[in-house]
Every structure is written in C-alpha cells, then in structure tokens.
Amino acid sequence: MQSFQAPSRILMGPGPSDVSERVLKALSQQTVGHLDPTFITLMDEIKSLLQYAFQTKNELTIPVSAPGSSGMETCFMNLVEPGDKVLVCINGVFGMRMKEVASRAGAQVETLECEWGEAVDPAAVEKILASQPDIKILAFVHAETSTGVGSDAKSLCAIAQKYDCLSIVDAVTSLGGTELKVDEWGIDAIYSGTQKCLSCIPGLSPVSFSSKAVEKIKTKPSKNFSWFLDLTLVMDYWGQNAKRAYHHTAPVNSLYALHESLLILKEEGLEAAYERHALHHKALVAGLDVLGIEMLVDADIRLPQLNVVKIPEGVDDAKTRTTLLQQYDLEIGAGLGKFAGNAWRIGLMGNGCSKKNVLFCIASLGAVLNEQGHQCDTDKALSQAESVY
Ligand SMILES: *Cc1c(COP(=O)(O)O)cnc(C)c1O
C-alpha cells in the first residue's frame, strides 16, 4: 500500500465541485483545539459569513458537522413533533428523501407529487394547505439537483406563512448559485451543503432557523430522536454567549475551509456570483445545442448551476462518461432516478463555474461524441459558446 494520490479531475457533475487552491490551503493548516480561543473567533466569523450567504439575521445560523443530508435531518428532527402533519413536495430524488426523513421524524406525511422536470406548483400547494388546515410544515427543494429544476421558493414560503405553516427549504444546490433570501422570503428552516456552489469540501451542512422555528424547537414537548442533531444541545457550543461547552469535536480543518470559501463568496458578492452562474450557463447551453445536445428542462425553470441534458440517440451513456473521466479527467454526472440512463447532469457550480470549464466541457464532449459516431461540429460549438461571451 502507498499514500493515496488524488488525480486532478475537473468536477462538472452534481457536486462535489472544484475546490480552489485558496480553500485547499486553508484546509491544510495545523489543527487547533475546537475550544481554542482563535477557533471560537473563527466560528463567529463563519456564522456571520453564513448569514450573508443566506441573507438572514437569524442567530441560529451554523454549519452542521456532516453533509447536506444531515442538514435535512436537523430540520425535520428538530421541527417535527411526532404526529405533526407535514406536506412534502416531490419533484425529484431529494423531495423523495425529504419524505423519508420526515416520516422517520414521526411526521404524518402528505405529499404533492409533481412531474419530474417540472417545478413545484404554488397553486397546487395552496389548494392542499387551504383544504387541510392541520398541516404544520411545508417542505420543498429549492434547487432539485436530480432534475435541474428551480422552484419558486419566494411564493411557496409566502403561501406557507398565509396558512400558518413553518417552511423547510432544501437549498443544498441553490446557496451561492441562484438568488436566495431567507429573511425576505420568510423561510423558517433551511439547509445547504458545502460541496456544491460554495465549492468547499464535502462534509458540512449550513443551516439557519427563524425565530418562529426556534420557538417551536424550544417548546417542543417530545425529546428529539437524535442526540447528535438536537439543536438545543448543539447551541451550547455554537450559540451566541453560549457556554462554548463541548458537544462533539468540531471538524476543525473543514471549518477553516468553509470560512475561506464563504470569504471568497463575500468578496465576489452574491449578485456577481449569480450573474456569473447565469452567464456561463448560457454559454454552455449555446455550445451544447450545436453539439446536438438538448436541455431537458424548460428555460424559465432551469438551474444555471446544474444542467440536465438529454443523451443523444445512439450514444452510450456509461461509455461516454467513462471516456470523459479517463481521457479528459472530466467528471459529469449520470441521470438520477427517473432520468437514469437518458440524461446527464453537467454542473457549473461555484469555483467550477468558469469560461475555462465551459469550453473544456464542450470540446471534450464533442470529441467523445464524434468517436461514438454522433457527428457534431466541435469548433462551431466552441465559437457559439464564445459568442455568448
Ligand atoms: C447533494 C444534495 C443533497 C444531499 O447532500 P449530501 O451532502 O450529499 O448529503 C440534498 N439535497 C440536494 C438538493 C442536493 O443536491
């Protein structure tokens, strides 16, 4: 056995995304204790940078020490009182996961099933909430990574408020990539991940809770099923003016990396980051179109950071992805769930959302498709993408 040597890949799948040198350098610094005074200062800065990224003043805004799915569990385990009726909107794999987690938290789950490739319909949500006033929580995915669809979180949260429901929003793929305003939109509980548009390493889940949500957490009669994710305990470590008492050993180096990636986002500015994602998405779509690769999702609900495309007729899905990885060091994502085998997912997330990556992806994909007998004009595709810039 030898030390592991990671290949240098270009990550253009559904996450993780390319981690910058700056973030890697932050990560590799010497580990300090999780109660070291310098580390406590770093924790405070991370909270404030997360508040910026989420656009919130919520005091309870912290990174959970585990990947995006743990943020999902944190929301449901802390907000669901067993027996609570919860409406989960499902328009892809992560909505399905929400349903599973909600039921494990003891919820009585109602679902709104939407077509794959479509957004959650606010009118359909309103109809259900109006007819079932005992629903306590509305849950949905803002940016569905399995289908490349963005749902209208602003309207959905306004409807939740109108019917006196708390909202739980999955922003794993949206945070840092597309507009997200926690306070303005009245989101009560939100979770994200670090390995998508934040371009940090995987393994952390930023979450934020409104005062209404915190009130429910504090007054919930039942004991949380989870010890690790019980926010009333976690807050003794992360809370403002908290005891800073040991709860679990924080992933110290990962938090160095998160701090750096959030700082990069703040330096660029949220608006500029959204514009950058929109621009490179436009160029990618223009180039793919010339290669004969169509988008699966309607333009008005497409996510710029996650492009779900149809695999052209006669092209071998697995062989193409394997060739891209082996010969070009380029990773793109396979289709998930109902889209498995007939779609690819091309990510333009965070640090990986660049002109260099767009052109590289078009050039490599064009070459591999030609090898496979799908004739296409790569040069023309590249110049079409260039023309967007
Ligand atoms: C990636 C993703 C998750 C899960 O995050 P993990 O870090 O893999 O646990 C949840 N929801 C959405 C929308 C995602 O894209």
Side-chain angles (χ1 to χ4, degrees):
M1 230 181 267
Q2 293 174 338
S3 302
F4 177 67
Q5 293 295 329
S8 50
R9 307 287 199 209
I10 291 154
L11 301 179
M12 297 185 74
S17 60
D18 281 337
V19 179
S20 70
E21 289 298 327
R22 243 181 95 173
V23 171
L24 291 176
K25 210 170 144 211
L27 178 74
S28 67
Q29 292 176 94
Q30 193 60 250
T31 304
V32 298
H34 62 282
L35 295 171
D36 190 292
T38 60
F39 189 68
I40 302 290
T41 306
L42 180 89
M43 288 166 70
D44 287 338
E45 287 190 14
I46 289 174
K47 284 168 69 177
S48 131
L49 288 164
L50 279 177
Q51 286 171 333
Y52 170 72
F54 277 128
Q55 293 287 282
T56 183
K57 294 197 168 67
N58 289 340
E59 155 60 17
L60 183 42
T61 303
I62 59 168
V64 177
S65 305
S69 305
S70 77
M72 188 189 288
E73 290 215 354
T74 300
C75 290
F76 286 100
M77 291 299 171
N78 284 277
L79 286 176
V80 173
E81 177 61 22
D84 273 0
K85 225 180 192 186
V86 175
L87 174 60
V88 179
C89 308
I90 302 176
N91 65 336
V93 164
F94 293 102
M96 288 164 63
R97 188 175 295 181
M98 273 184 150
K99 177 188 173 193
E100 176 64 22
V101 171
S103 73
R104 285 176 189 234
Q108 191 188 331
V109 182
E110 295 289 321
T111 58
L112 170 64
E113 306 262 353
C114 316
E115 283 300 320
W116 277 55
E118 286 183 10
V120 176
D121 177 11
V125 170
E126 174 143 24
K127 211 167 137 197
I128 296 173
L129 294 188
S131 65
Q132 300 186 54
D134 53 340
I135 292 176
K136 300 264 175 62
I137 296 172
L138 168 70
F140 66 91
V141 178
H142 185 204
E144 208 3 298
T145 321
S146 60
T147 63
V149 168
S151 286
D152 180 356
K154 185 180 179 182
S155 300
L156 290 168
C157 291
I159 294 166
Q161 285 196 327
K162 182 173 165 193
Y163 293 92
D164 205 19
C165 282
L166 292 174
S167 49
I168 296 180
V169 179
D170 178 320
V172 176
T173 286
S174 55
L175 184 69
T178 36
E179 188 178 58
L180 175 62
K181 296 185 166 169
V182 169
D183 287 358
E184 201 179 307
W185 297 352
I187 294 172
D188 291 301
I190 191 160
Y191 60 90
S192 189
T194 43
Q195 78 276 31
K196 313 235 173 165
C197 294
L198 296 182
S199 284
C200 184
I201 56 166
L204 295 169
S205 179
V207 295
S208 183
F209 295 85
S210 72
S211 49
K212 226 162 81 189
V214 171
E215 193 53 35
K216 176 151 187 189
I217 294 168
K218 285 189 174 157
T219 56
K220 207 161 78 72
S222 69
K223 194 168 177 175
N224 199 316
F225 288 132
S226 169
W227 175 86
F228 184 64
L229 301 175
D230 184 343
L231 287 169
T232 61
L233 305 177
V234 173
M235 284 312 281
D236 284 343
Y237 180 53
W238 273 99
Q240 195 179 30
N241 310 317
K243 293 179 268 182
R244 299 290 187 181
Y246 165 73
H247 175 261
H248 63 279
T249 309
V252 167
N253 292 60
S254 299
L255 290 167
Y256 297 167
L258 177 60
H259 180 270
E260 196 65 17
S261 67
L262 290 169
L263 201 58
I264 291 170
L265 178 63
K266 178 132 199 229
E267 283 168 7
E268 178 178 22
L270 284 172
E271 291 302 326
Y274 302 153
E275 277 169 29
R276 177 167 54 82
H277 283 86
L279 172 70
H280 297 303
H281 158 77
K282 212 171 144 196
L284 178 73
V285 173
L288 292 178
D289 184 54
V290 176
L291 296 181
I293 297 176
E294 285 171 52
M295 302 298 291
L296 238 156
V297 172
D298 290 343
D300 57 332
I301 52 169
R302 261 178 218 163
L303 294 172
Q305 63 272 51
L306 202 276
N307 298 271
V308 179
V309 302
K310 288 184 203 166
I311 300 175
E313 202 75 38
V315 169
D316 187 320
D317 170 24
K319 202 168 152 194
T320 306
R321 284 184 292 106
T322 307
T323 310
L324 285 172
L325 192 68
Q326 287 177 349
Q327 293 182 12
Y328 296 88
D329 269 321
L330 174 64
E331 178 180 285
I332 64 167
L336 205 58
K338 290 184 190 171
F339 289 162
N342 49 43
W344 289 319
R345 293 181 299 153
I346 305 178
L348 283 173
M349 295 179 174
N351 181 52
C353 180
S354 64
K355 181 172 177 181
K356 187 169 147 237
N357 277 7
V358 166
L359 298 180
F360 182 69
C361 177
I362 293 169
S364 327
L365 201 50
V368 177
L369 288 178
N370 274 308
E371 265 174 41
Q372 290 222 11
H374 170 89
Q375 288 192 357
C376 51
D377 188 338
T378 307
D379 288 339
K380 193 170 159 219
L382 287 169
S383 66
Q384 197 62 37
E386 279 283 3
S387 72
V388 172
Y389 298 110

